[in-house]
Amino acid sequence: KVVAVIMVGGPTKGTRFRPLSLNIPKPLFPLAGQPMVHHPISACKRIPNLAQIYLIGFYEERDFALYVSSISNELKVPVRYLKEEKPHGSAGGLYNFRDLIMEDNPSHIFLLNCDVCCSFPLPEMLEAHKRYGGIGTILVVKVSAETADQFGELVADPVTNELLHYTEKPETFVSDRINCGVYIFTPDVFNAIQGVSSQRKDRANLKRVSSFEAMQPDTRNLPSDFVRLDQDILSPLAGKKQLYIYETKDFWEQIKTPGMSLKCSSLYLAQFRYTSPDILAKGDGTKNASIDGDVYIHPSAKIHPSAKIGPNVSISANARIGAGARLISCIILDDVEIKASENAVVIHAIVGWKSSIGKWARVQASLEILVIKASGDYNAKLGVTILGESVTVEDEVVVVSSIVLPHKTLNVGVQDEILL
Ligand code: GDD
């Protein structure tokens, strides 16, 4: 049997995701119309002999209760949310629930970060892992050398695929091959985590009796039950014939900022074309709005037939899109109203729950981003325009490359601003 664990983190980790994380736990924010965590969960469907999916995090249980029960029914695989009392780190969180995870006596355990967007080639990883015969196999992707330092950089043997060297977010360049945050382990991983944890306890005791100071500066203040998968487990096990890599040539992105959620929404919409084309909107040009490219529209949303929508647009429940509206590259959240007009335009933006956009208004990225970079800059702080919950953009107001916090009313134009 196989068990999958998805690390969802908790509220303190979501600060870079503001203002969207003020309303919803980041793992439940919709990408291509489905909660972020839904994408790795539905990828788990392809794992042979999957017994259970666990989500581990320190959000309140009630945040996940509804989602977890509906997805269990849909997939016919039990999905459970396990709440940590406090953060234990990415490996400590797994270890904390080892007894539950081992109840099904799994031969293999998948471990997935929830904030990555990729095709999750899980059955392929399982096959490769069995061939390698180590305790873990890491999904790896090649990125540009300039961006590699935001991730765990690694070096592997090109023939055997053994992980030879691993450094988490290094200051000087090591490699353009990085850790995707998707792993498969045998249950032996629990021994490795326990090893780190008891080593920490011993050192802490030693320190107490003899004021022993020779500990690594970055581990000095960590409690013994806080264990990071990358620094504490992967780095020391590299080069010991225990860890291997599986390289993907497919898309891969990390989702730390609201702007990246727009990028990842487009990647998942494009994937739906192959995996579940029925989810995508089809414009027939007569009764429905005209649809351009990949678009998701929730069945309860109301779209005026004269609106034009796409590419890369996701529209959530109960949104109302008025006559003549033009939406390109955006996420429209629940209960948004875009008023009937000849010319309301939303380009490269995320419009928060219950917000409303007036007649002739524009909500968009800057011209520089739209024209010169062809809307490629999802990571810039003020690239994608973000409206928080219940923001009102009055008639004829233009909002460019700005972040607007919840409950604001905009009656004059703004550009490159963060409105608190
Ligand atoms: N349950 C729980 N408890 N989850 C946690 C905790 C914890 O205490 N700490 C982190 N996580 C979850 C996060 O929500 C995220 O899904 C995952 O574990 C990794 O988070 P971080 O440890 O903050 O690392 P990171 O996201 O900056 O980088 C990691 O992922 C990159 C790929 O996205 C590293 O492993 C990098 O090497 C890797 O490139």
Side-chain angles (χ1 to χ4, degrees), residues 86-387:
K86 55 168 194 177
H88 293 89
S90 39
L94 182 74
Y95 187 74
N96 192 42
F97 292 106
R98 64 193 176 283
D99 295 340
L100 254 175
I101 294 168
M102 289 309 295
E103 252 176 21
D104 290 298
N105 203 14
S107 57
H108 295 93
I109 301 159
F110 275 99
L111 183 68
L112 316 177
N113 289 3
C114 130
D115 59 358
V116 299
C117 164
C118 64
S119 63
F120 297 105
L122 306 178
E124 295 82 353
M125 280 180 77
L126 179 61
E127 284 311 305
H129 176 79
K130 286 181 181 162
R131 279 200 308 277
Y132 300 148
I135 78 162
T137 297
I138 309 172
L139 187 69
V140 164
V141 72
K142 182 179 186 303
V143 297
S144 72
E146 301 80 63
T147 56
D149 64 352
Q150 309 162 36
F151 309 106
E153 295 183 15
L154 51 85
V155 180
D157 185 308
V159 178
T160 63
N161 287 314
E162 186 198 344
L163 178 75
L164 297 177
H165 181 70
Y166 184 95
T167 321
E168 184 61 22
K169 305 183 181 93
E171 272 167 31
T172 51
F173 181 75
V174 175
S175 164
D176 57 2
R177 295 297 194 287
I178 63 121
N179 169 10
C180 292
V182 176
Y183 317 86
I184 177 161
F185 291 110
T186 64
D188 292 329
V189 70
F190 290 124
N191 300 332
I193 304 174
Q194 171 155 36
V196 173
S197 173
S198 26
Q199 212 175 20
R200 282 236 175 96
K201 254 183 231 149
D202 294 347
R203 285 195 191 163
N205 289 338
L206 210 56
K207 189 178 168 191
R208 216 171 296 130
V209 286
S210 66
S211 69
F212 177 79
E213 286 294 348
M215 289 167 71
Q216 299 261 323
D218 67 326
T219 55
R220 201 155 31 203
N221 298 317
L222 292 179
S224 64
D225 58 357
F226 190 95
V227 184
R228 299 157 302 183
L229 188 65
D230 26 50
Q231 285 106 310
D232 302 328
I233 305 290
L234 304 183
S235 288
L237 285 184
K240 296 193 173 135
K241 297 206 171 9
Q242 309 221 44
L243 296 175
Y244 293 82
I245 66 145
Y246 180 85
E247 188 166 328
T248 175
K249 303 280 183 202
D250 266 356
F251 64 94
W252 182 88
E253 297 288 345
Q254 191 186 41
I255 318 156
K256 296 291 185 195
T257 60
M260 280 310 290
S261 67
L262 186 55
K263 169 84 185 265
C264 294
S265 203
S266 82
L267 292 169
Y268 281 138
L269 284 172
Q271 196 189 32
F272 282 165
R273 244 185 277 153
Y274 304 99
T275 60
S276 17
D278 296 345
I279 292 182
L280 297 176
K282 288 164 241 5
D284 62 12
T286 52
K287 260 185 24 234
N288 302 320
S290 69
I291 303 291
D292 179 10
D294 299 330
V295 170
Y296 167 83
I297 300 176
H298 190 273
S300 64
K302 289 202 172 56
I303 318 285
H304 193 277
S306 65
K308 186 171 178 194
I309 297 175
N312 183 25
V313 174
S314 310
I315 301 179
S316 291
N318 302 313
R320 283 147 297 157
I321 311 297
R326 180 71 181 103
L327 311 184
I328 304 172
S329 175
C330 58
I331 297 177
I332 307 290
L333 294 161
D334 300 27
D335 305 307
V336 163
E337 178 171 13
I338 298 181
K339 296 203 175 118
S341 82
E342 294 309 301
N343 199 13
V345 174
V346 180
I347 310 177
H348 214 50
I350 298 175
V351 182
W353 308 264
K354 302 188 206 110
S355 288
S356 94
I357 296 177
K359 301 177 181 179
W360 301 93
R362 297 181 69 94
V363 174
Q364 62 171 71
S366 71
L367 267 189
E368 195 217 342
I369 286 174
L370 292 179
V371 179
I372 302 171
K373 295 188 179 151
S375 69
D377 206 348
Y378 296 91
N379 249 330
K381 189 156 188 203
L382 292 175
V384 175
T385 286
I386 318 279
L387 308 185

Side-chain angles (χ1 to χ4, degrees), residues 378-420:
Y378 296 91
N379 249 330
K381 189 156 188 203
L382 292 175
V384 175
T385 286
I386 318 279
L387 308 185
E389 182 191 8
S390 298
V391 168
T392 304
V393 178
E394 295 197 334
D395 292 355
E396 295 172 43
V397 168
V398 178
V399 185
V400 179
S401 288
S402 294
I403 297 173
V404 184
L405 268 74
H407 307 290
K408 293 267 144 212
T409 295
L410 302 182
N411 47 24
V412 290
V414 288
Q415 172 156 14
D416 301 329
E417 282 192 54
I418 299 178
L419 298 170
L420 301 172

